[in-house]
Amino acid sequence: MRTQVGIIGAGPAGLLLSHLLHLRGISSVVLEKRSRDYVERRVRAGVLEQGTVDTLIEAGVGDRLLREGLPHHGIELRYGGEGHRIAFEKLVPGRAITVYGQQEVVKDLIAARLEAGGDVRFEVEDVAVHSLEDRPYLTFGGERLDCDVIAGCDGFHGVSRPSIPPGVLKTFERDYPFAWLGILAEVAPSSEELIYTRTERGFALHSMRSPTISRFYLQVPPDATVEEWPDERIWTELKARLESVPGFTLTTGEIIEKGVTPMRGFVAEPMQYGRLYLAGDAAHIVPPTGAKGLNLAVADVRVLTEALATFFRDGSTGPLDGYSAACLKRVWRAQHFSWWMTTLLHTFDSDDDYGRRLQLSYLDYVTSSEAAATTLAENYVGLPW
């Protein structure tokens, strides 16, 4: 069996790459170890940058996003008993974010690929990468897929990055001394926009997925487990952290999903070796505070699509050779922004009173300086493509 691009992973990166290549007349096969039901239900990110929204619409997979997505034109930073709105419409006119779950993006992309006759294979076993420097091919479940290029879009724990020979990649990592406990609740959002809250008890985030489903996060110890957090304890802690301004009442309801997410930053350089190109979480992880993970994957795929289009059109390898360097500029900008948002809003056990006062002083600066607020807004809605 042969195709032009073999894609490992049917997450947003792999599916979007396959779809964008299809629009350019380039064939691909997507291999996914999980079931279709699993990837369509897997809850991950939910904040789409302006550039991500524009990409999906331009690719013809944005109809449901436009109907059901929730555009937001600001976020609130809450600390010290006060709320401070970062107004995107004033600071970055014409740009916003849209709340639309990653699993919904995946559903839309799968539907588009299947409708177009795309080859997306689920529950594929034993995927392995071969001959990256010469004539690359993939093996899986006793079959062989020959291809001109392999795209590793299979996440942090996938097989693509480990297939690169030892000593080629340099990795950069930072583990944060806390995790996020995330929940989905069948309850209408208590706010029309996202609320990022810094308290002495720890960080909390109020988000949403629809007019009837809310998403919340709590800063918890890095070794926390779901079993330690029964529903009553979660709501008590969320209320303690979010009801920190006069007149705000958190609406509670049935919790339908819980999970603990470690907080870490990770980058692998370069994002390519031979005919293998990494995209999304296979190459980089960001702490979720800055809402950059899915959006970085989309940015990688845009760059890779253009490079592959040039390669298959005239054989030129220049854009492919420069793929990693082009992506890493945005990756490191997102790493910095995510680190900055994380350190700005979370409490650290290592901080003394001096460190805490510095943190509050910086929050005052961000919420009182138009220049600082603009920098936050520019990065949050996404830097221009």
Side-chain angles (χ1 to χ4, degrees), residues 20-310:
L20 294 178
L21 292 175
H22 164 72
L23 296 178
R24 301 296 186 94
I26 300 168
S27 66
S28 67
V29 174
V30 181
L31 304 178
E32 169 59 50
K33 70 176 182 178
R34 303 283 193 174
S35 69
R36 177 179 177 180
D37 182 68
Y38 179 89
V39 298
E40 289 187 338
R41 291 175 179 270
R42 180 172 46 190
V43 177
R44 291 291 187 270
V47 175
L48 307 186
E49 293 179 356
Q50 185 67 58
T52 297
V53 172
D54 294 343
T55 297
L56 295 172
I57 293 172
E58 291 165 6
V61 290
D63 289 349
R64 197 160 66 93
L65 164 62
L66 289 172
R67 291 196 310 269
E68 301 178 15
L70 305 175
H72 287 198
H73 299 278
I75 60 173
E76 180 182 331
L77 301 185
R78 185 173 290 186
Y79 68 97
E82 297 181 353
H84 305 265
R85 184 171 185 267
I86 306 299
F88 300 156
E89 71 273 13
K90 173 185 175 183
L91 301 169
V92 284
R95 297 162 65 196
I97 59 167
T98 299
V99 173
Y100 188 68
Q102 175 174 312
Q103 71 276 19
E104 305 305 325
V105 174
V106 167
K107 291 175 187 175
D108 296 340
L109 288 168
I110 289 175
R113 294 306 301 123
L114 297 182
E115 182 179 356
D119 195 342
V120 182
R121 305 190 180 200
F122 297 98
E123 300 182 80
V124 171
E125 297 181 350
D126 302 323
V127 176
V129 181
H130 305 272
S131 191
L132 290 175
E133 296 184 62
D134 186 14
R135 297 183 178 182
Y137 65 95
L138 297 167
T139 56
F140 60 97
E143 297 189 56
R144 170 171 170 152
L145 175 65
D146 291 288
C147 40
D148 299 296
V149 169
I150 296 173
C153 306
D154 50 344
F156 182 78
H157 298 290
V159 301
S160 57
R161 191 180 66 253
S163 70
I164 297 175
V168 173
L169 295 181
K170 184 174 183 180
T171 59
F172 304 83
E173 300 182 61
R174 170 160 295 180
D175 292 318
Y176 292 83
F178 39 74
W180 272 14
L181 171 67
I183 69 164
L184 277 178
E186 286 189 336
V187 59
S190 301
S191 169
E192 294 182 355
E193 295 180 336
L194 279 68
I195 303 172
Y196 285 78
T197 299
R198 186 265 180 209
T199 75
E200 291 300 319
R201 303 175 70 99
F203 167 84
L205 172 60
H206 174 293
S207 184
M208 63 282 295
R209 288 296 178 269
S210 75
T212 59
I213 300 291
S214 295
R215 182 75 160 157
F216 299 96
Y217 296 97
L218 282 170
Q219 177 185 347
V220 295
D223 57 352
T225 64
V226 169
E227 291 72 25
E228 297 170 337
W229 287 87
D231 294 6
E232 183 179 356
R233 183 185 181 191
I234 291 173
W235 288 122
T236 298
E237 195 61 31
L238 281 170
K239 289 173 75 69
R241 299 186 194 187
L242 288 167
E243 291 182 347
S244 55
V245 299
F248 179 83
T249 300
L250 180 67
T251 304
T252 63
E254 180 184 358
I255 295 176
I256 56 177
E257 184 171 304
K258 302 178 188 179
V260 176
T261 302
M263 299 284 283
R264 66 184 318 216
F266 172 86
V267 180
E269 294 186 1
M271 293 170 55
Q272 61 192 92
Y273 172 76
R275 290 294 182 88
L276 171 66
Y277 301 87
L278 305 177
D281 288 358
H284 41 72
I285 299 286
V286 290
T289 324
K292 293 291 166 242
L294 168 60
N295 296 295
L296 276 181
V298 172
D300 292 345
V301 165
R302 284 176 58 110
V303 175
L304 186 55
T305 297
E306 294 303 319
L308 289 171
T310 299

